[in-house]
Amino acid sequence: GLGAKLALAVDPLSPYVAFDMNMTDAGGTVWEIGAGTGFSMANSDSISLATSFSETNNFDAELTFTEDSAAGIIPNFGLGLTVGVYDIGGAEVDWRVSASPTYTVADTAKIFATTGFDSAGTMPLTAGVDLLMVTNVTFTLKFASASLTDSSADAQGAAQDKGTITFATAIAY
C-alpha cells in the first residue's frame, strides 16, 4: 500500500489530511482520504474530529474526548469517549459509542478498559492491567471479547467463547 499524511501543529489545533491506497487480492486498488483536527485544552484534555471517505465505506466521522490521567479532574484517572458514525451515504449507516477509562496506581500498575456499544448490537470489551514494577519491563494481563452480547452457537450447538485472556511481557531497552 501507499499512504501519506500531512499534519500541522498550530497550538492549540493539530489539523491533518491523509491519503491511503492499497492493492486488493484481485489486483485492483482501494483508496481512502481523511482529514481531521485535534484541539488541546489548557489542562491536557483534548477533543478531536476525524473524518474519512473511501470508495468502500463512503463517509465516516468520529468525535473523541480524551482526559489525560496525569492532569485530569480525578488524580491518576484518564478517560476517552468516542462517538462515531460510519458509512454515511451507504445502504446502512452504522454508529458506535465507546469509552476507555484508565487508572494508574502509584506508577506501579495501570488498569485499563475499553467498551462500547454499536448499531449491530455488539458490546466489545477489553480490560486488563499493566504491571510496571520492574524497570524497563511491563507485564500485561488482558481479557478481550469481540462482543459480550453474542449468544450465537458454533457448528455443534455449543455457546461461543466470550473472550480471550492474554498474559504478555514487554522489555524496553
Side-chain angles (χ1 to χ4, degrees):
L2 172 69
K5 183 176 184 178
L6 174 63
L8 301 172
V10 184
D11 201 28
L13 296 175
S14 52
Y16 71 89
V17 293
F19 175 78
D20 242 357
M21 185 174 65
N22 290 304
M23 301 291 289
T24 64
D25 291 338
T29 59
V30 291
W31 54 268
E32 178 178 53
I33 57 173
T37 190
F39 176 76
S40 298
M41 295 180 244
N43 60 354
S44 299
D45 294 346
S46 65
I47 296 174
S48 63
L49 173 66
T51 60
S52 65
F53 182 79
S54 72
E55 60 186 314
T56 56
N57 289 331
N58 293 306
F59 184 74
D60 299 339
E62 283 187 342
L63 181 65
T64 301
F65 169 79
T66 305
E67 180 175 62
D68 184 23
S69 63
I73 296 170
I74 301 171
N76 301 320
F77 179 76
L79 180 63
L81 298 172
T82 301
V83 175
V85 182
Y86 311 96
D87 206 12
I88 300 168
E92 186 175 326
V93 175
D94 296 319
W95 57 268
R96 181 173 48 245
V97 177
S98 63
S100 301
T102 62
Y103 185 75
T104 304
V105 181
D107 295 329
T108 59
K110 179 180 176 185
I111 302 166
F112 61 89
T114 299
T115 190
F117 196 73
D118 63 23
S119 55
T122 61
M123 185 177 174
L125 172 68
T126 300
V129 62
D130 289 334
L131 300 174
L132 314 166
M133 297 177 284
V134 179
T135 303
N136 297 332
V137 179
T138 302
F139 299 101
T140 301
L141 180 61
K142 178 176 75 173
F143 169 80
S145 173
S147 179
L148 293 176
T149 58
D150 184 8
S151 60
S152 62
D154 64 15
Q156 288 76 34
Q160 294 284 354
D161 291 337
K162 293 296 183 197
T164 304
I165 296 174
T166 306
F167 179 75
T169 303
I171 301 171
Y173 56 93

